[in-house]
Amino acid sequence: MAVLKLKKFNMEMSSNMSDHWTEYYNNGTLILRRGYPIRITLNFNRPIQKGDKVQFIATTGPSPEESDKTMAIFSLSDSESDYPWSAFLESSSSADVNVVITSPADAVIGYYNFNMHILSKRKSSHFKLHNFILLFNPWCEDDLVYMEDENERQEYVLNDSGIIYYGLEDYIDQQGWNFGQFEENILDICLTMLDKSLNYQEDPVLDCSKRNDPAYVGRVVSAMINSFEDEGVVEGQWTGNFLGGVDPKTWSGSVEILTKWQRSRYKPVKYGQCWVFAGVMCTVLRCLGIPTRVVTNFASAHDKNGNLMVDNIYTTSGRNKSKDTLWNYHVWNESWFKRNDLGSEYEGWQVLDATPQELSKGVHRCGPTSVHAIKEGDVHLDYDAAFVFSEVNADRVTWIYYDKDIQEKVYSNTSFVGKHISTKSVDSDERADITESYKYPEGSEEERQVYLKARNKLKEMGDTNEKVPGKRGVEKKRKRKRNHDAISPDADEKPAKLDVTGKFKLVESPKFGDDINLKLLLKNSVTKRHSVKVKLSSSTIEYTGIPFAEVFTDEISVTLDSMEEKEIPLSIAADDFMEGLTKDALIEVAALCELKSKKKMLVRKVVSVEKPPLHIKPVGIPVVDKPFELEIVFTNPLSETVTDGVMVLGGSGLIKKQLKKKLRKLEPNVMSAILVEIIPYRSGTKQLVVDFTSKKFPTIKGFLNIEVLDTM
């Protein structure tokens, strides 16, 4: 009888990828999810006989070894096996054999070489089968990324578009984002990203062996999305100067960014800010099979000295001099997986943040941080829990700056930070408020207990000091020993109650190009008469809270009789702030109020200048591979003619390459409509993203979900 040889084989790509929820990838390679069986067909020169031995060899990474889980050698058997990798004979007819192959649920992800070895009549032969890519598997119960709810899997793994929230806690805006994780070359780029990491460069064998753990992979990706320390994807820029690159506000998806990174031979793409880092990281992690969503935290603290307080420092005239920053919003990611390193209590959503804010063990990255650990104040746990805790639950402490040596603590607010933590809902475009998953209700006993627990955890760790800004504080004069008595005696103090309180109130939401009209409301809560000196100031700011251009300063005096409340009108002319307005279109107004008793109060409000909307309307019925038109209606928001307007359209399944259309001269404050033809290439619900850009005003954004039919 002849030696057994393989004549041909069929990897059954179409059916296997359908079973593995990977048929959406535009890659040309067999793409599988770990822990799930695949069926292949083998055709031999004769039936398999007793004495013939058929083995499969799957390898990934450099220098693969079985001990590193980067090599698997497993034999074809007549029945299912409990071995990590297995192959059993499902059926055979003469020389045709149907084989079921299963990878373990904790297999290393990545590119695999796949070969067959046959030992027959003391002769051995090797055959190369088709290579494949193995991904994480949220459908497999034994996988660390397993997600029980099918609707959530559809949203957090398979949805290739989403919504990112931004703005202010009392003025939440939204933009569409094209994740595009299934687009051409994106999976290859994501896997290349892992090989470009510092971890791989330092020890490629060890790095590949750890790619079975979503926590490890997520941490690597967090470092690689920004360009610090490595050949990362996006370079951050938070000033108004974006020379040599792209204004972050003009990005509307990840595909263009990742593709540009690859085509430039892995030079950082310029520029990004937090929502760009989060949008790109969501693409990468969903592409690799890790359930991921984009999350926005409003009034987000950046606590640079790690004391769970954000120190806001204002001069005696009301100007902001803070080193700690209070971002109007900050965007990061959450990914869903178990934490074998921490225990079952901390499984579920994990914060991953690629925005380069602070170092995490020597590298600009953040997470994975268990959301449950944040809620319970377990800031001692890996990774970066104290930093994330501060972002959502730091106390805001206000100081008055007299000179470099003297500052005065005037107010402490325990409930200012971490508002309306938001993400897109499952199966709808509604905003879901997930604040309760991060912390107990503000003002509750549980919230304060957790905060104090977190500060005590830091004290036990010995890694932080409360730093009073300046060398000498008016309120407290004390010296600190290194890593000793890190928690101040007044850490749990209640905010001081003042006789006079105040707040700013908008008369109406300001439209782009309009004046801003506010009222400063001052209220005397006691029977004693009070004279108040008010120092007013205003500046345009970045969304990170950093001042950009001063608008005005002023000083007034107000007398408040017993229990009296007064309204002080304040108008800011558009001509005074438009030139200094950043792309964020935000203005901070501050009032430093001083009583005769020398007690001080700071009233602050951030105002968002409202941009005109884009209206998108399909004309006709969208069908795959058939042209159809869209009508886009928009308004030039300025009182001057615009000649550099550009409309940019994108969306996976709708437009293969971003479509840019230069607009004719746009008259002042005039509404215009244009028709654009596109040809959808994939059926289902697809998100169209439209940007209207000009150098003269912030990017105006719009998006619309479009249902594309297979056929009419």
Side-chain angles (χ1 to χ4, degrees):
M1 186 177 290
V3 172
L4 183 68
K5 290 186 177 181
L6 181 68
K7 292 176 63 178
K8 59 183 179 179
F9 64 92
N10 187 339
M11 299 293 286
E12 309 292 352
M13 181 181 293
S14 178
S15 60
N16 281 321
M17 289 181 64
S18 178
D19 291 342
H20 285 235
W21 299 94
T22 57
E23 71 269 31
Y24 311 103
Y25 288 90
N26 185 1
N27 185 273
T29 305
L30 176 61
I31 302 169
L32 306 171
R33 297 192 188 275
R34 64 186 192 177
Y36 260 25
I38 67 166
R39 287 168 170 80
I40 66 173
T41 303
L42 306 175
N43 177 257
F44 295 97
N45 61 326
R46 63 169 174 79
I48 298 176
Q49 300 290 329
K50 188 176 181 180
D52 295 327
K53 186 175 183 181
V54 178
Q55 281 187 325
F56 298 94
I57 305 99
T59 60
T60 185
S63 306
E65 294 284 350
E66 287 186 278
S67 59
D68 292 329
K69 293 187 176 181
T70 52
M71 174 186 285
I73 303 173
F74 51 103
S75 298
L76 179 63
S77 63
D78 293 330
S79 59
E80 293 189 53
S81 168
D82 292 332
Y83 290 109
W85 288 79
S86 65
F88 79 91
L89 192 63
E90 186 177 47
S91 64
S92 64
S93 175
S94 184
D96 293 324
V97 174
N98 294 320
V99 177
V100 176
I101 295 174
T102 304
S103 62
D106 64 347
V108 167
I109 64 144
Y111 290 104
Y112 275 81
N113 293 313
F114 195 40
N115 297 280
M116 177 188 289
H117 175 251
I118 299 175
L119 182 62
S120 176
K121 295 188 175 295
R122 297 183 180 179
K123 292 186 178 180
S124 63
S125 54
H126 291 268
F127 301 90
K128 183 172 177 57
L129 305 177
H130 287 163
N131 297 339
F132 58 85
I133 296 172
L134 198 62
L135 304 177
F136 293 104
N137 190 357
W139 284 264
C140 176
E141 292 188 21
D142 294 328
D143 197 310
L144 292 175
V145 303
Y146 173 66
M147 182 170 262
E148 185 176 4
D149 187 277
E150 176 59 23
N151 290 330
E152 292 186 342
R153 290 192 292 250
Q154 293 289 324
E155 179 70 49
Y156 300 133
V157 182
L158 299 184
N159 195 349
D160 58 5
S161 64
I163 296 173
I164 299 177
Y165 298 97
Y166 65 99
L168 305 172
E169 61 177 280
D170 54 359
Y171 185 78
I172 297 176
D173 209 342
Q174 60 185 24
Q175 70 176 80
W177 190 269
N178 174 29
F179 297 122
Q181 65 267 34
F182 305 121
E183 295 302 307
E184 186 176 5
N185 292 328
I186 295 301
L187 177 55
D188 292 329
I189 294 171
C190 294
L191 292 171
T192 299
M193 187 183 300
L194 300 181
D195 291 347
K196 292 287 181 182
S197 71
L198 292 178
N199 301 59
Y200 185 87
Q201 303 306 317
E202 291 171 0
D203 192 334
V205 173
L206 179 62
D207 172 68
C208 287
S209 72
K210 290 185 174 183
R211 292 183 187 177
N212 64 328
D213 181 4
Y216 177 82
V217 171
R219 190 157 168 80
V220 169
V221 172
S222 171
M224 278 302 299
I225 297 298
N226 70 70
S227 63
F228 275 93
E229 298 104 13
D230 50 36
E231 295 181 276
V233 179
V234 180
E235 181 176 326
Q237 176 69 289
W238 280 266
T239 68
N241 183 357
F242 302 111
L243 293 176
V246 174
D247 180 346
K249 284 284 191 299
T250 63
W251 295 116
S252 58
S254 308
V255 175
E256 292 76 24
I257 295 171
L258 290 167
T259 302
K260 188 172 183 178
W261 180 61
Q262 181 196 47
R263 289 176 177 170
S264 67
R265 296 184 179 179
Y266 309 107
K267 293 180 181 178
V269 176
K270 300 178 180 180
Y271 293 102
Q273 293 177 2
C274 67
W275 67 92
V276 179
F277 293 111
V280 175
M281 185 152 70
C282 187
T283 295
V284 175
L285 296 175
R286 285 188 185 183
C287 190
L288 298 176
I290 301 176
T292 302
R293 62 189 184 184
V294 177
V295 172
T296 303
N297 176 41
F298 293 93
S300 186
H302 181 175
D303 175 21
K304 292 188 176 182
N305 59 12
N307 63 355
L308 305 190
M309 292 183 179
V310 55
D311 296 308
N312 288 162
I313 306 170
Y314 289 83
T315 66
T316 54
S317 64
R319 293 191 184 97
N320 191 334
K321 287 184 63 69
S322 308
K323 291 185 178 180
D324 281 353
T325 52
L326 189 64
W327 295 27
N328 293 296
Y329 66 93
H330 180 45
V331 187
W332 59 67
N333 299 96
E334 286 180 359
S335 291
W336 179 275
F337 47 83
K338 293 179 180 177
R339 291 294 298 270
N340 285 343
D341 57 329
L342 301 182
S344 60
E345 181 181 357
Y346 301 101
E347 65 184 32
W349 289 116
Q350 313 289 325
V351 171
L352 285 160
D353 191 352
T355 301
Q357 295 184 92
E358 298 292 333
L359 292 171
S360 174
K361 297 189 177 179
V363 177
H364 282 89
R365 58 192 170 187
C366 181
T369 309
S370 164
V371 173
H372 180 73
I374 298 307
K375 184 169 185 175
E376 298 302 328
D378 294 327
V379 296
H380 60 294
L381 299 175
D382 282 341
Y383 295 93
D384 311 305
F387 182 78
V388 178
F389 184 94
S390 287
E391 289 182 301
V392 300
N393 210 17
D395 282 357
R396 180 186 179 219
V397 182
T398 302
W399 302 78
I400 302 301
Y401 176 95
Y402 294 99
D403 61 40
K404 65 180 181 178
D405 292 334
I406 303 176
Q407 282 123 68
E408 179 183 3
K409 182 178 179 181
V410 296
Y411 194 71
S412 179
N413 190 318
T414 64
S415 60
F416 193 88
V417 170
K419 303 288 189 181
H420 300 307
I421 304 175
S422 301
T423 191
K424 178 186 175 297
S425 295
V426 175
D427 261 351
S428 83
D429 286 346
E430 296 299 314
R431 181 179 65 87
D433 191 311
I434 57 172
T435 309
E436 66 176 12
S437 67
Y438 279 85
K439 58 183 180 178
Y440 292 96
E442 292 289 1
S444 68
E445 184 178 345
E446 294 95 335
E447 186 275 334
R448 275 295 91 184
Q449 288 176 346
V450 166
Y451 180 82
L452 294 175
K453 171 186 174 182
R455 288 180 63 87
N456 285 326
K457 288 285 186 184
L458 288 185
K459 182 178 180 180
E460 292 169 8
M461 292 163 63
D463 287 337
T464 185
N465 288 323
E466 183 192 6
K467 297 179 181 178
V468 177
K471 297 177 183 177
R472 182 161 54 92
V474 171
E475 181 194 55
K476 296 263 181 199
K477 299 178 183 178
R478 58 182 181 270
K479 295 182 179 179
R480 292 287 183 198
K481 295 180 181 179
R482 180 174 296 179
N483 294 331
H484 177 69
D485 195 25
I487 308 307
S488 67
D490 60 347
D492 59 344
E493 69 176 353
K494 299 263 192 311
K497 289 186 177 180
L498 301 174
D499 292 350
V500 176
T501 58
K503 66 178 179 179
F504 280 110
K505 183 178 180 181
L506 272 175
V507 176
E508 59 182 352
S509 182
K511 301 279 193 297
F512 200 86
D514 290 350
D515 296 347
I516 297 174
N517 294 303
L518 308 99
K519 296 176 181 178
L520 173 60
L521 307 179
L522 293 178
K523 183 178 181 180
N524 184 3
S525 301
V526 297
T527 56
K528 178 183 176 182
R529 187 180 187 186
H530 275 294
S531 295
V532 186
K533 185 186 293 184
V534 182
K535 295 181 179 180
L536 294 162
S537 65
S538 177
S539 60
T540 62
I541 60 173
E542 311 282 357
Y543 82 98
T544 57
I546 296 174
F548 181 72
E550 184 175 276
V551 177
F552 79 90
T553 60
D554 197 6
E555 186 173 325
I556 60 174
S557 294
V558 180
T559 300
L560 296 171
D561 289 330
S562 169
M563 309 301 288
E564 184 182 12
E565 183 173 1
K566 281 189 177 180
E567 293 185 353
I568 299 129
L570 177 63
S571 182
I572 309 174
D575 290 343
D576 292 339
F577 66 79
M578 285 295 293
E579 187 175 341
L581 199 63
T582 71
K583 295 289 185 178
D584 302 298
L586 298 174
I587 294 177
E588 181 188 61
V589 186
L592 179 61
C593 305
E594 183 177 350
L595 308 183
K596 277 191 173 180
S597 63
K598 300 301 181 182
K599 288 186 177 180
K600 298 178 180 67
M601 169 186 66
L602 185 76
V603 185
R604 172 185 180 270
K605 186 174 183 65
V606 177
V607 179
S608 178
V609 180
E610 187 177 328
K611 291 171 281 188
L614 279 175
H615 298 287
I616 310 164
K617 180 182 177 182
V619 180
I621 300 175
V623 180
V624 170
D625 295 330
K626 302 289 184 183
F628 92 104
E629 287 186 322
L630 295 155
E631 182 185 57
I632 303 170
V633 180
F634 55 95
T635 300
N636 172 10
L638 302 178
S639 56
E640 61 180 288
T641 301
V642 172
T643 58
D644 67 342
V646 177
M647 195 71 72
V648 183
L649 294 87
S652 290
L654 296 170
I655 301 170
K656 288 188 176 180
K657 187 178 180 181
Q658 235 183 22
L659 178 62
K660 295 184 179 181
K661 186 177 180 67
K662 290 186 177 180
L663 306 179
R664 63 183 183 276
K665 184 169 66 173
L666 303 174
E667 299 298 335
N669 298 307
V670 170
M671 181 180 291
S672 303
I674 64 168
L675 287 175
V676 179
E677 183 181 272
I678 66 173
I679 303 176
Y681 56 94
R682 196 181 299 146
S683 63
T685 303
K686 302 300 168 189
Q687 184 190 80
L688 178 76
V689 181
V690 181
D691 287 356
F692 176 27
T693 67
S694 167
K695 292 180 181 178
K696 295 187 176 182
F697 51 79
T699 301
I700 300 170
K701 290 180 172 287
F703 67 94
L704 180 71
N705 286 339
I706 297 174
E707 192 67 33
V708 181
L709 304 178
D710 275 317
T711 58
M712 283 290 289

